Amino acid sequence: MFEQTFVEGKTKKTYTVMIAFLIQCGLVVVGLILPLIFFTDLPKTTLQAFLVAPPPPPPPPPPPPAAAPVKIVKVIPRQFDAGRLMAPKSVPKEIAQIKEDELPPAAASGGVVGGVPGGVAGGTPGGVLGGIIGSVPTAAPPPPPPPPAPKAVTPKRITIGGNVQAAKLIRQPRPVYPPLAKQARISGTVRLAAIISKDGTIQDLKVISGHPLLIPSALEAVKQWVYQPTLLNGEPVEVSTQIDVNFTLSQ
């Protein structure tokens, strides 16, 4: 009886151990091996969050601007209003005392203490430097002579009327009456503009008016005329004038 009981109990114990072993193997497979085979991908957003560095922190805000310094204007109370003394509105805490410096003692001689370089013994303050001993003032120097008057500039050429200049003629050859003009009974006046040089000779001649038959004879005669030199401020000058040459049939 004991042997049968022992054998039956042994059989049931081996069967129970096998079942427990299988259950444990199944649990190991489910807990360890299946997750290695059937895995799932990590979310892409989560993966990037792990791989990408975090953004830098924002810069700190700028400091606030410094407050403008407050300028304190000190108002000095007026003591006079339209010439009248006004009472102060507030009594000052401290009263300033003005102390005047004492003047140096005056020298016995009346001069400057220590003397003045170049001064004279016994002189007076504010005296004339270089004066005679005893502070006697010297006579004022004579005024400088006035500058010489500028010398008048003599013009090189002056204009004189024909009648005035004709009085200075020294040599005056008469013009020859052209025969053709005499036969044609032509007469008249030939007017010339002349420049007389400093020595009195004719320098330049220009025709102003006149008959063409009379002009050549007038020019030929006037070129030989000679005048007295015209003086201005003691110096000879050129003269611009007009010369009239008359042709009449009575010649």
PDB file of all heavy atoms in Angstrom, residues 207-229:
ATOM      1  N   VAL A 207      42.596 163.279 -93.542  1.00  0.00           N
ATOM      2  CA  VAL A 207      41.634 164.135 -94.233  1.00  0.00           C
ATOM      3  C   VAL A 207      40.284 164.004 -93.544  1.00  0.00           C
ATOM      4  O   VAL A 207      39.781 162.897 -93.333  1.00  0.00           O
ATOM      5  CB  VAL A 207      41.528 163.750 -95.712  1.00  0.00           C
ATOM      6  CG1 VAL A 207      40.490 164.635 -96.416  1.00  0.00           C
ATOM      7  CG2 VAL A 207      42.880 163.883 -96.398  1.00  0.00           C
ATOM      8  N   ILE A 208      39.697 165.171 -93.208  1.00  0.00           N
ATOM      9  CA  ILE A 208      38.359 165.195 -92.630  1.00  0.00           C
ATOM     10  C   ILE A 208      37.326 165.496 -93.713  1.00  0.00           C
ATOM     11  O   ILE A 208      36.319 164.805 -93.833  1.00  0.00           O
ATOM     12  CB  ILE A 208      38.274 166.235 -91.497  1.00  0.00           C
ATOM     13  CG1 ILE A 208      39.249 165.873 -90.380  1.00  0.00           C
ATOM     14  CG2 ILE A 208      36.854 166.327 -90.962  1.00  0.00           C
ATOM     15  CD1 ILE A 208      39.292 166.901 -89.254  1.00  0.00           C
ATOM     16  N   SER A 209      37.578 166.534 -94.511  1.00  0.00           N
ATOM     17  CA  SER A 209      36.653 166.881 -95.595  1.00  0.00           C
ATOM     18  C   SER A 209      37.432 167.692 -96.628  1.00  0.00           C
ATOM     19  O   SER A 209      38.528 168.199 -96.373  1.00  0.00           O
ATOM     20  CB  SER A 209      35.458 167.684 -95.049  1.00  0.00           C
ATOM     21  OG  SER A 209      35.911 168.899 -94.462  1.00  0.00           O
ATOM     22  N   GLY A 210      36.823 167.843 -97.831  1.00  0.00           N
ATOM     23  CA  GLY A 210      37.454 168.615 -98.899  1.00  0.00           C
ATOM     24  C   GLY A 210      37.207 167.993-100.253  1.00  0.00           C
ATOM     25  O   GLY A 210      36.834 166.819-100.371  1.00  0.00           O
ATOM     26  N   HIS A 211      37.416 168.782-101.323  1.00  0.00           N
ATOM     27  CA  HIS A 211      37.227 168.293-102.689  1.00  0.00           C
ATOM     28  C   HIS A 211      38.389 167.380-103.046  1.00  0.00           C
ATOM     29  O   HIS A 211      39.547 167.671-102.722  1.00  0.00           O
ATOM     30  CB  HIS A 211      37.135 169.484-103.668  1.00  0.00           C
ATOM     31  CG  HIS A 211      36.557 169.107-104.985  1.00  0.00           C
ATOM     32  ND1 HIS A 211      37.304 168.507-105.977  1.00  0.00           N
ATOM     33  CD2 HIS A 211      35.293 169.267-105.477  1.00  0.00           C
ATOM     34  CE1 HIS A 211      36.547 168.290-107.022  1.00  0.00           C
ATOM     35  NE2 HIS A 211      35.298 168.756-106.757  1.00  0.00           N
ATOM     36  N   PRO A 212      38.123 166.287-103.750  1.00  0.00           N
ATOM     37  CA  PRO A 212      39.217 165.353-104.090  1.00  0.00           C
ATOM     38  C   PRO A 212      40.318 165.978-104.935  1.00  0.00           C
ATOM     39  O   PRO A 212      41.474 165.572-104.834  1.00  0.00           O
ATOM     40  CB  PRO A 212      38.495 164.235-104.851  1.00  0.00           C
ATOM     41  CG  PRO A 212      37.078 164.298-104.376  1.00  0.00           C
ATOM     42  CD  PRO A 212      36.799 165.743-104.095  1.00  0.00           C
ATOM     43  N   LEU A 213      40.014 166.995-105.780  1.00  0.00           N
ATOM     44  CA  LEU A 213      41.055 167.606-106.598  1.00  0.00           C
ATOM     45  C   LEU A 213      41.940 168.537-105.778  1.00  0.00           C
ATOM     46  O   LEU A 213      43.069 168.839-106.200  1.00  0.00           O
ATOM     47  CB  LEU A 213      40.407 168.393-107.762  1.00  0.00           C
ATOM     48  CG  LEU A 213      39.662 167.547-108.816  1.00  0.00           C
ATOM     49  CD1 LEU A 213      39.045 168.456-109.881  1.00  0.00           C
ATOM     50  CD2 LEU A 213      40.632 166.555-109.472  1.00  0.00           C
ATOM     51  N   LEU A 214      41.463 168.987-104.617  1.00  0.00           N
ATOM     52  CA  LEU A 214      42.234 169.927-103.796  1.00  0.00           C
ATOM     53  C   LEU A 214      43.017 169.233-102.670  1.00  0.00           C
ATOM     54  O   LEU A 214      43.943 169.827-102.117  1.00  0.00           O
ATOM     55  CB  LEU A 214      41.298 170.978-103.193  1.00  0.00           C
ATOM     56  CG  LEU A 214      40.450 171.791-104.191  1.00  0.00           C
ATOM     57  CD1 LEU A 214      39.519 172.716-103.429  1.00  0.00           C
ATOM     58  CD2 LEU A 214      41.350 172.582-105.138  1.00  0.00           C
ATOM     59  N   ILE A 215      42.630 167.989-102.296  1.00  0.00           N
ATOM     60  CA  ILE A 215      43.243 167.316-101.141  1.00  0.00           C
ATOM     61  C   ILE A 215      44.734 167.046-101.352  1.00  0.00           C
ATOM     62  O   ILE A 215      45.551 167.326-100.456  1.00  0.00           O
ATOM     63  CB  ILE A 215      42.458 166.031-100.821  1.00  0.00           C
ATOM     64  CG1 ILE A 215      41.083 166.381-100.239  1.00  0.00           C
ATOM     65  CG2 ILE A 215      43.236 165.144 -99.844  1.00  0.00           C
ATOM     66  CD1 ILE A 215      40.192 165.181 -99.998  1.00  0.00           C
ATOM     67  N   PRO A 216      45.198 166.488-102.499  1.00  0.00           N
ATOM     68  CA  PRO A 216      46.636 166.183-102.610  1.00  0.00           C
ATOM     69  C   PRO A 216      47.516 167.407-102.453  1.00  0.00           C
ATOM     70  O   PRO A 216      48.556 167.344-101.798  1.00  0.00           O
ATOM     71  CB  PRO A 216      46.751 165.583-104.020  1.00  0.00           C
ATOM     72  CG  PRO A 216      45.399 165.049-104.322  1.00  0.00           C
ATOM     73  CD  PRO A 216      44.451 165.995-103.674  1.00  0.00           C
ATOM     74  N   SER A 217      47.140 168.552-103.012  1.00  0.00           N
ATOM     75  CA  SER A 217      47.950 169.753-102.897  1.00  0.00           C
ATOM     76  C   SER A 217      47.980 170.252-101.458  1.00  0.00           C
ATOM     77  O   SER A 217      49.027 170.711-100.965  1.00  0.00           O
ATOM     78  CB  SER A 217      47.406 170.839-103.838  1.00  0.00           C
ATOM     79  OG  SER A 217      48.166 172.018-103.710  1.00  0.00           O
ATOM     80  N   ALA A 218      46.832 170.121-100.738  1.00  0.00           N
ATOM     81  CA  ALA A 218      46.799 170.556 -99.340  1.00  0.00           C
ATOM     82  C   ALA A 218      47.695 169.664 -98.469  1.00  0.00           C
ATOM     83  O   ALA A 218      48.428 170.166 -97.602  1.00  0.00           O
ATOM     84  CB  ALA A 218      45.359 170.529 -98.825  1.00  0.00           C
ATOM     85  N   LEU A 219      47.675 168.392 -98.693  1.00  0.00           N
ATOM     86  CA  LEU A 219      48.518 167.483 -97.895  1.00  0.00           C
ATOM     87  C   LEU A 219      50.001 167.756 -98.142  1.00  0.00           C
ATOM     88  O   LEU A 219      50.808 167.756 -97.200  1.00  0.00           O
ATOM     89  CB  LEU A 219      48.182 166.023 -98.234  1.00  0.00           C
ATOM     90  CG  LEU A 219      46.806 165.508 -97.770  1.00  0.00           C
ATOM     91  CD1 LEU A 219      46.573 164.095 -98.295  1.00  0.00           C
ATOM     92  CD2 LEU A 219      46.719 165.518 -96.245  1.00  0.00           C
ATOM     93  N   GLU A 220      50.339 167.964 -99.376  1.00  0.00           N
ATOM     94  CA  GLU A 220      51.743 168.190 -99.704  1.00  0.00           C
ATOM     95  C   GLU A 220      52.277 169.460 -99.058  1.00  0.00           C
ATOM     96  O   GLU A 220      53.431 169.520 -98.619  1.00  0.00           O
ATOM     97  CB  GLU A 220      51.899 168.267-101.234  1.00  0.00           C
ATOM     98  CG  GLU A 220      53.326 168.354-101.717  1.00  0.00           C
ATOM     99  CD  GLU A 220      54.113 167.080-101.409  1.00  0.00           C
ATOM    100  OE1 GLU A 220      53.494 165.993-101.276  1.00  0.00           O
ATOM    101  OE2 GLU A 220      55.359 167.169-101.291  1.00  0.00           O
ATOM    102  N   ALA A 221      51.457 170.499 -98.978  1.00  0.00           N
ATOM    103  CA  ALA A 221      51.914 171.762 -98.394  1.00  0.00           C
ATOM    104  C   ALA A 221      51.966 171.680 -96.876  1.00  0.00           C
ATOM    105  O   ALA A 221      52.925 172.142 -96.238  1.00  0.00           O
ATOM    106  CB  ALA A 221      50.990 172.893 -98.845  1.00  0.00           C
ATOM    107  N   VAL A 222      50.939 171.081 -96.225  1.00  0.00           N
ATOM    108  CA  VAL A 222      50.878 171.064 -94.757  1.00  0.00           C
ATOM    109  C   VAL A 222      51.974 170.176 -94.176  1.00  0.00           C
ATOM    110  O   VAL A 222      52.450 170.431 -93.054  1.00  0.00           O
ATOM    111  CB  VAL A 222      49.473 170.610 -94.301  1.00  0.00           C
ATOM    112  CG1 VAL A 222      49.420 170.402 -92.791  1.00  0.00           C
ATOM    113  CG2 VAL A 222      48.426 171.632 -94.721  1.00  0.00           C
ATOM    114  N   LYS A 223      52.411 169.154 -94.853  1.00  0.00           N
ATOM    115  CA  LYS A 223      53.486 168.297 -94.339  1.00  0.00           C
ATOM    116  C   LYS A 223      54.780 169.071 -94.105  1.00  0.00           C
ATOM    117  O   LYS A 223      55.623 168.648 -93.317  1.00  0.00           O
ATOM    118  CB  LYS A 223      53.745 167.146 -95.320  1.00  0.00           C
ATOM    119  CG  LYS A 223      52.653 166.088 -95.314  1.00  0.00           C
ATOM    120  CD  LYS A 223      52.985 164.973 -96.314  1.00  0.00           C
ATOM    121  CE  LYS A 223      51.891 163.903 -96.330  1.00  0.00           C
ATOM    122  NZ  LYS A 223      52.180 162.823 -97.308  1.00  0.00           N
ATOM    123  N   GLN A 224      54.944 170.226 -94.766  1.00  0.00           N
ATOM    124  CA  GLN A 224      56.165 171.025 -94.628  1.00  0.00           C
ATOM    125  C   GLN A 224      56.027 172.125 -93.575  1.00  0.00           C
ATOM    126  O   GLN A 224      56.978 172.868 -93.352  1.00  0.00           O
ATOM    127  CB  GLN A 224      56.517 171.652 -95.992  1.00  0.00           C
ATOM    128  CG  GLN A 224      56.677 170.628 -97.101  1.00  0.00           C
ATOM    129  CD  GLN A 224      56.926 171.272 -98.453  1.00  0.00           C
ATOM    130  OE1 GLN A 224      57.358 172.443 -98.557  1.00  0.00           O
ATOM    131  NE2 GLN A 224      56.649 170.542 -99.522  1.00  0.00           N
ATOM    132  N   TRP A 225      54.866 172.249 -92.941  1.00  0.00           N
ATOM    133  CA  TRP A 225      54.690 173.297 -91.951  1.00  0.00           C
ATOM    134  C   TRP A 225      55.445 172.955 -90.678  1.00  0.00           C
ATOM    135  O   TRP A 225      55.583 171.783 -90.289  1.00  0.00           O
ATOM    136  CB  TRP A 225      53.212 173.492 -91.614  1.00  0.00           C
ATOM    137  CG  TRP A 225      52.414 174.104 -92.759  1.00  0.00           C
ATOM    138  CD1 TRP A 225      52.871 174.386 -94.004  1.00  0.00           C
ATOM    139  CD2 TRP A 225      51.044 174.477 -92.703  1.00  0.00           C
ATOM    140  NE1 TRP A 225      51.900 174.929 -94.783  1.00  0.00           N
ATOM    141  CE2 TRP A 225      50.729 175.009 -94.005  1.00  0.00           C
ATOM    142  CE3 TRP A 225      50.036 174.458 -91.769  1.00  0.00           C
ATOM    143  CZ2 TRP A 225      49.470 175.483 -94.340  1.00  0.00           C
ATOM    144  CZ3 TRP A 225      48.786 174.945 -92.104  1.00  0.00           C
ATOM    145  CH2 TRP A 225      48.505 175.450 -93.369  1.00  0.00           C
ATOM    146  N   VAL A 226      55.908 173.999 -89.974  1.00  0.00           N
ATOM    147  CA  VAL A 226      56.648 173.844 -88.714  1.00  0.00           C
ATOM    148  C   VAL A 226      56.060 174.818 -87.697  1.00  0.00           C
ATOM    149  O   VAL A 226      55.847 175.994 -88.009  1.00  0.00           O
ATOM    150  CB  VAL A 226      58.162 174.095 -88.906  1.00  0.00           C
ATOM    151  CG1 VAL A 226      58.890 173.949 -87.567  1.00  0.00           C
ATOM    152  CG2 VAL A 226      58.739 173.156 -89.956  1.00  0.00           C
ATOM    153  N   TYR A 227      55.816 174.315 -86.452  1.00  0.00           N
ATOM    154  CA  TYR A 227      55.246 175.126 -85.377  1.00  0.00           C
ATOM    155  C   TYR A 227      56.266 175.275 -84.253  1.00  0.00           C
ATOM    156  O   TYR A 227      57.258 174.516 -84.161  1.00  0.00           O
ATOM    157  CB  TYR A 227      53.983 174.451 -84.795  1.00  0.00           C
ATOM    158  CG  TYR A 227      52.816 174.379 -85.742  1.00  0.00           C
ATOM    159  CD1 TYR A 227      52.714 173.363 -86.700  1.00  0.00           C
ATOM    160  CD2 TYR A 227      51.796 175.316 -85.671  1.00  0.00           C
ATOM    161  CE1 TYR A 227      51.621 173.283 -87.551  1.00  0.00           C
ATOM    162  CE2 TYR A 227      50.697 175.244 -86.524  1.00  0.00           C
ATOM    163  CZ  TYR A 227      50.620 174.227 -87.448  1.00  0.00           C
ATOM    164  OH  TYR A 227      49.530 174.151 -88.293  1.00  0.00           O
ATOM    165  N   GLN A 228      56.023 176.244 -83.383  1.00  0.00           N
ATOM    166  CA  GLN A 228      56.803 176.359 -82.163  1.00  0.00           C
ATOM    167  C   GLN A 228      56.441 175.194 -81.220  1.00  0.00           C
ATOM    168  O   GLN A 228      55.270 174.813 -81.132  1.00  0.00           O
ATOM    169  CB  GLN A 228      56.524 177.690 -81.452  1.00  0.00           C
ATOM    170  CG  GLN A 228      56.983 178.918 -82.209  1.00  0.00           C
ATOM    171  CD  GLN A 228      56.647 180.200 -81.460  1.00  0.00           C
ATOM    172  OE1 GLN A 228      56.025 180.154 -80.404  1.00  0.00           O
ATOM    173  NE2 GLN A 228      57.052 181.326 -82.032  1.00  0.00           N
ATOM    174  N   PRO A 229      57.416 174.618 -80.516  1.00  0.00           N
ATOM    175  CA  PRO A 229      57.081 173.532 -79.577  1.00  0.00           C
ATOM    176  C   PRO A 229      56.111 174.029 -78.502  1.00  0.00           C
ATOM    177  O   PRO A 229      56.253 175.123 -77.957  1.00  0.00           O
ATOM    178  CB  PRO A 229      58.429 173.140 -78.991  1.00  0.00           C
ATOM    179  CG  PRO A 229      59.437 173.590 -80.007  1.00  0.00           C
ATOM    180  CD  PRO A 229      58.873 174.844 -80.617  1.00  0.00           C
TER     181      PRO A 229
END
